[in-house]
Amino acid sequence: DFIVETRMRHLSVNWVAAFLQRHPYAKLLDVSAAHEREAGLFPQGHHEPWLTSDPNPEFLAHTLQHIQFDDYVLVICRFGIRSHDAATLLES
C-alpha cells in the first residue's frame, strides 16, 4: 500500500531558499497578504492569500489548481500562523 507521510515544520527563510535550490520541482505556496508579498522574499512561489478581509473563500479551490496530491509543498507566510492554518487545511 502507498503511505503518505506529512509533517509540518517551521522553517527559516535560508532553509527554504536552500531547499528550493536543491529541489527545483517542490512547490512554494505563499499565503501572505498581497501587501506582505510585495517584500518579495520568494517571488517564484504561487501566491494565494489565506485571508482577504475575512478567510479567503476561494483559497482551497484556487490552490488545488496549482498543486497535486503528491507534490511536495512548502507553505509560507510572514509569521507562520496563516501558513500553519493553510497547511492544516491542505493536509486534511
Side-chain angles (χ1 to χ4, degrees):
D1 290 344
F2 183 75
I3 298 174
V4 176
E5 180 183 344
T6 58
R7 290 181 274 161
M8 281 188 269
R9 301 178 189 176
H10 292 276
L11 309 170
S12 71
V13 171
N14 291 337
W15 189 95
V16 171
F19 181 87
L20 291 173
Q21 285 181 347
R22 288 189 310 270
H23 304 282
Y25 296 106
K27 304 279 178 95
L28 183 67
L29 174 61
D30 184 350
V31 298
S32 302
H35 70 275
E36 294 170 324
R37 174 106 169 136
E38 292 170 4
L41 290 177
F42 295 104
Q44 75 272 28
H46 173 69
H47 180 240
E48 186 64 43
W50 176 247
L51 300 173
T52 48
S53 58
D54 291 313
N56 181 354
E58 302 296 324
F59 174 81
L60 189 57
H62 287 173
T63 299
L64 292 177
Q65 292 175 8
H66 296 277
I67 63 172
Q68 303 298 316
F69 175 76
D70 58 349
D71 285 340
Y72 195 90
V73 180
L74 301 175
V75 184
I76 65 168
C77 70
R78 186 171 180 190
F79 295 111
I81 297 166
R82 290 165 290 180
S83 58
H84 175 270
D85 293 346
T88 299
L89 175 66
L90 292 172
E91 282 186 332
S92 69

